[in-house]
Amino acid sequence: MNGARVGYARCSPDEQDVIIQTEQLLALGVPQGRVYIDRGFSGTTRRNRGGLDRALAAVWDDSVFTVTKFDRFARNMAEANEILTGLSGRGVLFGLGANVYDWSDPFGRLFLQTLAMVAEFEAGLGHLRTREGMALAKKNGKLKGKQPKLPEPARRSIRRRYAEGEVSLADLATEYSVGRSTIRRIIHGGPETSR
């Protein structure tokens, strides 16, 4: 298999960088100018991943779309299948590390579908652990949700001054450096939380 390689690397918000992935892709023969990167994405969806879109647009017939690990590419079975089917239809192979797989080959497809299933399962477990941790923190009073933008004394002053006609809504928003909608919620009793 002598097809030219196009590389894709991704790091999620909790990772430092994609330097290791990039070095591995270069070692696999991906030219420097053909490594596409997304930073700050979990990989559970293709949405807003410009690096992935550019990498997919950069491949051609007989080239190899290359990643270092399957979960860097996708953590969602449906999207992985859709992308791999599209690549195969364009005559592009899938490179996972030094190995190259053909989506049109039944064994290659089975292997990649299994990896997609495992990646989605692992992502689901991560989300489950996060929700469990947040529920425990909330139960223990350590997770209180969004806090008000302004302290209660300021909110009382805003309500009083506005009710007395002392200042306008716009003046209060400027004075407290918040949006008019925040002042409106304070005055009319809606939820007023930080963003």
Side-chain angles (χ1 to χ4, degrees):
M1 206 331 300
N2 294 324
R5 289 180 179 254
V6 172
Y8 174 69
R10 175 192 63 78
C11 67
S12 50
D14 60 336
E15 292 186 59
Q16 291 297 319
D17 207 351
V18 291
I19 294 171
I20 294 172
Q21 290 177 65
T22 302
E23 288 173 353
Q24 290 172 342
L25 290 168
L26 295 174
L28 290 167
V30 177
Q32 179 76 41
R34 294 214 177 261
V35 174
Y36 299 88
I37 299 171
D38 278 320
R39 287 181 174 83
F41 291 93
S42 69
T44 55
T45 181
R46 182 178 173 181
R47 209 173 22 238
N48 300 321
R49 287 169 62 190
L52 178 60
D53 292 337
R54 287 188 298 279
L56 294 172
V59 293
W60 61 94
D61 190 26
D62 288 330
S63 63
V64 181
F65 179 90
T66 306
V67 295
T68 58
K69 295 178 185 167
F70 194 89
D71 67 350
R72 302 292 92 199
F73 159 64
R75 299 177 82 187
N76 172 309
M77 283 183 61
E79 288 180 355
N81 287 338
E82 178 185 324
I83 294 169
L84 290 167
T85 299
L87 289 172
S88 179
R90 294 166 53 198
V92 177
L93 298 173
F94 185 78
L96 181 57
N99 299 310
V100 177
Y101 300 94
D102 183 351
W103 183 248
S104 63
D105 173 65
F107 294 105
R109 182 184 294 241
L110 174 64
F111 180 68
L112 294 174
Q113 285 176 328
T114 302
L115 291 179
M117 181 175 57
V118 170
E120 185 173 306
F121 174 71
E122 287 177 340
L125 282 179
H127 293 304
L128 179 63
R129 287 186 200 110
T130 300
R131 286 192 302 271
E132 288 172 347
M134 290 176 71
L136 181 61
K138 188 173 184 176
K139 179 182 172 187
N140 293 332
K142 295 182 181 177
L143 183 68
K144 299 180 187 200
K146 293 181 179 179
Q147 299 300 308
K149 285 186 178 181
L150 298 173
E152 183 55 39
R155 294 194 310 258
R156 279 194 304 266
S157 174
I158 288 169
R159 284 190 286 270
R160 180 190 52 76
R161 291 172 62 203
Y162 185 79
E164 293 172 358
E166 188 178 317
V167 289
S168 71
L169 200 118
D171 292 337
L172 287 166
T174 302
E175 180 181 335
Y176 286 95
S177 301
V178 295
R180 290 182 190 187
S181 59
T182 299
I183 298 297
R184 197 173 293 113
R185 284 191 297 270
I186 290 170
I187 291 166
H188 299 295
E192 179 263 323
T193 57
S194 62
R195 296 193 203 292

